[in-house]
Amino acid sequence: MGQVKVSPQASKKQLLLDFFRARGTQSVEAGDLHAARNELRRLRGPGDRTSPGYIASILREAGYDVRYEDRYSDPVMPEPYATRLKGVLEFHDLASAERSLLRLDAIFREYSSAGDRVGAAMVTAIVKSGKLRSRSIAANPRVQSPKRIEKHEIARWFQVWLETPDLFADWLELRKSSDEFRQLFPEGNAEV
């Protein structure tokens, strides 16, 4: 991007990393994210809708110091929490959401029992982020209806965990055995 030669096959992630490598800085502010988004639109067309939150996540993963937060981007986490919690949040489908929430719940309980309020707050922030992201996908009319219904269900799971983490595992078992759930997800019910 910018001064860098752009391969037609370059992924969005590679374009972003090349753009920031060419800038030669490890510290990134909100204005830098908007500049990168504008450059992506120039290269990929005006229909590119890359969010600053996505760009921030890519850069954090690559080791950049990103000073930007929004409700959809991963929360900034200090060590040792960042390493332990990296990649734990998944909700591609109902099964991955369940595994992720149960793992996050176990980590939350471990932090809570050790009196680690920062760790417990980091887990809560991740679950909130998952809830917001899944709600956003559920509300997106460009997403196919079955996937929107699934993301709405997953957002509900995140919400229940946030409200009553101690009851979540029992609630989820009851929810999955309900007639409503079985009607909504007849084919996925066996896997979840």
Side-chain angles (χ1 to χ4, degrees), residues 71-72 91 129-143 148 151-152 155:
R71 61 190 205 148
Y72 298 109
F91 54 95
S129 175
K131 178 188 78 170
L132 291 170
R133 289 181 193 171
S134 54
R135 277 187 180 168
S136 176
I137 295 167
N140 186 340
R142 293 179 298 184
V143 174
R148 287 197 332 260
K151 296 303 181 187
H152 178 74

Side-chain angles (χ1 to χ4, degrees), residues 7 12 26 47 60 85 92 112 123 140 150 156 172 186:
S7 163
K12 188 182 291 193
Q26 285 294 96
R60 283 189 185 117
L85 296 170
H92 309 295
S112 294
V123 172
N140 186 340
E150 181 182 61
R156 184 178 188 183
L172 184 58

Side-chain angles (χ1 to χ4, degrees), residues 12-124:
K12 188 182 291 193
K13 180 177 180 177
Q14 190 59 54
L15 292 172
L16 290 166
L17 293 174
D18 290 347
F19 177 77
F20 283 96
R21 262 190 227 108
R23 289 181 142 213
T25 181
Q26 285 294 96
S27 181
V28 178
E29 305 281 338
D32 301 314
L33 299 175
H34 293 290
R37 185 173 63 176
N38 290 338
E39 184 67 5
L40 279 175
R41 284 185 181 151
R42 186 184 71 75
L43 291 169
R44 301 186 82 173
D48 186 85
R49 297 183 181 270
T50 304
S51 71
Y54 172 82
I55 298 168
S57 295
I58 294 296
L59 295 175
R60 283 189 185 117
E61 186 178 301
Y64 285 84
D65 174 26
V66 181
R67 296 182 186 131
Y68 174 81
E69 286 190 46
D70 65 14
R71 61 190 205 148
Y72 298 109
S73 62
D74 291 330
V76 176
M77 283 186 267
E79 289 297 343
Y81 309 108
T83 300
R84 176 139 193 231
L85 296 170
K86 180 180 180 179
V88 176
L89 177 65
E90 291 185 15
F91 54 95
H92 309 295
D93 55 23
L94 294 169
S96 66
E98 180 176 359
R99 282 190 306 274
S100 181
L101 267 167
L102 293 175
R103 179 136 188 255
L104 285 164
D105 183 65
I107 294 169
F108 176 82
R109 290 177 189 289
E110 181 184 320
Y111 286 146
S112 294
S113 69
D116 185 344
R117 287 193 213 175
V118 173
M122 292 289 115
V123 172
T124 301

Side-chain angles (χ1 to χ4, degrees), residues 93-95 98 149-150 152-154 156-157 171-192:
D93 55 23
L94 294 169
E98 180 176 359
I149 292 167
E150 181 182 61
H152 178 74
E153 178 71 18
I154 291 169
R156 184 178 188 183
W157 294 5
W171 175 86
L172 184 58
E173 289 308 312
L174 288 172
R175 173 67 183 149
K176 291 186 325 185
S177 66
S178 73
D179 290 339
E180 179 189 15
F181 184 87
R182 290 173 192 241
Q183 287 173 359
L184 286 171
F185 308 104
E187 69 287 339
N189 203 14
E191 315 172 356
V192 177

